[in-house]
Amino acid sequence: MNYNSLYKKNFKRKFGQVFLKDVNVIKSIINLICPKINQIIVEIGPGTGAVTKRLVNLVKYLFLIEIDIDLATKLTNKLSNNNINIMCQNVINTNFFILSRQMNQKLRLFGNLPYNNCINIIFHVLKYVNVIHDIHFMLQRELANRIIAKPNSKEYGKLSIIMQYYYNIVPLITISPTSFYPTPKVYSTVIRFLPRNYKISINLDKLILILNLAFNQRRKKIKNSLKKLFSIKDLIKYNINPSLRADEITIDQYYYLTNKINI
Ligand code: SAM
């Protein structure tokens, strides 16, 4: 059976199913993850197991979280092996603190994420930073560019600032649409997230509040967009030029402001 007929039977658009078919790409991804035998690898959305089946013999503990019961059942039949734990559930309902505690180890997360639900999954995973060793996610290239963006670029925004607070993020490889079935319209990028040793802790709700005000009208000067929270005098006191616009404020300056909010 060729790839097309195999995947046509399985493919469900509502779960953002786009399956990797290029063996060289799959091998590169495994090399990038570089699993070690005693590590806990958690794959989000294993699908038909294109990457999973090459991971099975490389680690002692492999957890697979797959929302689609049909694919989860097929994987259970295909990969019956003591070291595999298949969880048929929405990753958004997965508590990684519990899993890490049970295994007494930090987790290595990996996944070719469904395009239609990427941001929710990333935000869910974000809060488990303390029990994460590292993460490798394959994402739509445009989304990856927004996550790694720096100030003064059009991609720089809420997502870049929030993600880069928690993680050092490294783009690794770009993958062509022809490596998947069905063929998506966009390129993908694999990025690595390494938990940061951040010195100051911030309140995420407060950071989101500032970012919403600043970026909802990103061309406004911050003395106007943030005036509900900071006076011009405050901004000057914090060494931040009130005439700058949202995308000209550095990530550290946003973190600093977050800790100055008095609410
Ligand atoms: N890893 C496979 C591959 O690379 O060929 C499939 C990747 S496909 C882009 C995304 C996978 O995530 C699908 O298998 C889909 O069913 C699964 N998925 C989608 N939403 C999910 C969720 N909320 N929780 C767990 N799995 C999910």
Side-chain angles (χ1 to χ4, degrees):
M1 195 185 288
N2 68 22
Y3 262 104
N4 287 10
S5 52
L6 175 69
Y7 293 130
K8 244 175 208 152
K9 284 206 307 187
N10 292 328
F11 154 60
K12 288 189 191 128
R13 197 181 294 274
K14 69 174 173 179
F15 293 138
Q17 292 177 352
V18 176
F19 300 108
L20 262 171
K21 63 174 185 180
D22 184 325
V23 175
N24 288 327
V25 169
I26 295 170
K27 284 184 183 164
S28 311
I29 293 172
I30 303 270
N31 283 339
L32 290 169
I33 299 174
C34 190
K36 303 278 184 302
I37 191 80
N38 282 319
Q39 292 175 329
I40 318 287
I41 304 279
V42 182
E43 184 178 357
I44 298 171
T48 53
V51 184
T52 328
K53 66 179 184 216
R54 289 171 191 271
L55 276 172
V56 173
N57 295 323
L58 301 180
V59 286
K60 252 197 204 158
Y61 306 105
L62 185 57
F63 289 84
L64 309 177
I65 305 173
E66 174 56 62
I67 198 169
D68 181 347
I69 178 118
D70 295 333
L71 290 180
T73 308
K74 284 197 175 90
L75 279 174
T76 310
N77 298 333
K78 195 153 102 183
L79 302 173
S80 55
N81 188 318
N82 285 344
N83 68 343
I84 301 181
N85 193 323
I86 302 179
M87 302 147 90
C88 183
Q89 63 191 52
N90 188 335
V91 64
I92 304 285
N93 300 326
T94 306
N95 185 327
F96 292 108
F97 289 133
I98 295 180
L99 182 58
S100 167
R101 205 177 312 127
Q102 276 168 355
M103 300 308 294
N104 200 20
Q105 211 181 116
K106 289 195 176 181
L107 310 173
R108 302 197 66 198
L109 265 49
F110 151 72
N112 169 13
L113 296 189
Y115 291 164
N116 55 0
N117 201 12
C118 257
I119 295 194
N120 288 337
I121 295 177
I122 292 173
F123 268 95
H124 174 71
V125 165
L126 174 88
K127 56 178 179 277
Y128 297 102
V129 61
N130 293 336
V131 294
I132 283 174
H133 176 84
D134 63 10
I135 303 174
H136 291 83
F137 277 160
M138 188 191 301
L139 310 169
Q140 210 172 317
R141 184 171 59 181
E142 286 67 24
L143 180 63
N145 287 345
R146 282 170 55 205
I147 290 174
I148 58 176
K150 299 291 177 205
N152 298 305
S153 65
K154 70 177 189 324
E155 289 92 359
Y156 181 65
K158 292 186 240 182
L159 200 58
S160 348
I161 295 160
I162 294 171
M163 294 308 302
Q164 290 177 41
Y165 172 70
Y166 290 97
Y167 296 94
N168 285 319
I169 306 168
V170 192
L172 298 172
I173 46 169
T174 298
I175 299 167
S176 148
T178 55
S179 301
F180 302 91
Y181 188 84
T183 314
K185 291 197 177 67
V186 291
Y187 279 75
S188 299
T189 303
V190 177
I191 48 182
R192 177 180 292 145
F193 298 74
L194 296 163
R196 262 183 76 190
N197 265 336
Y198 37 90
K199 292 178 200 79
I200 38 164
S201 70
I202 54 163
N203 177 313
L204 184 57
D205 292 335
K206 287 186 180 178
L207 176 62
I208 290 175
L209 173 72
I210 294 190
L211 296 178
N212 282 341
L213 288 172
F215 281 93
N216 282 356
Q217 289 172 288
R218 59 189 287 144
R219 295 311 298 153
K220 253 190 174 181
K221 294 179 175 165
I222 53 155
K223 66 181 171 194
N224 297 319
S225 58
L226 296 185
K227 70 176 177 217
K228 278 191 193 147
L229 300 174
F230 307 105
S231 66
I232 295 182
K233 224 165 113 194
D234 288 336
L235 293 169
I236 293 172
K237 190 167 81 192
Y238 304 149
N239 267 331
I240 299 177
N241 179 348
S243 294
L244 292 179
R245 299 168 207 277
D247 55 3
E248 295 169 320
I249 306 290
T250 66
I251 291 171
D252 284 340
Q253 284 173 323
Y254 277 114
Y255 304 151
Y256 185 80
L257 283 176
T258 303
N259 279 332
K260 295 291 176 193
I261 296 186
N262 262 332
I263 43 169

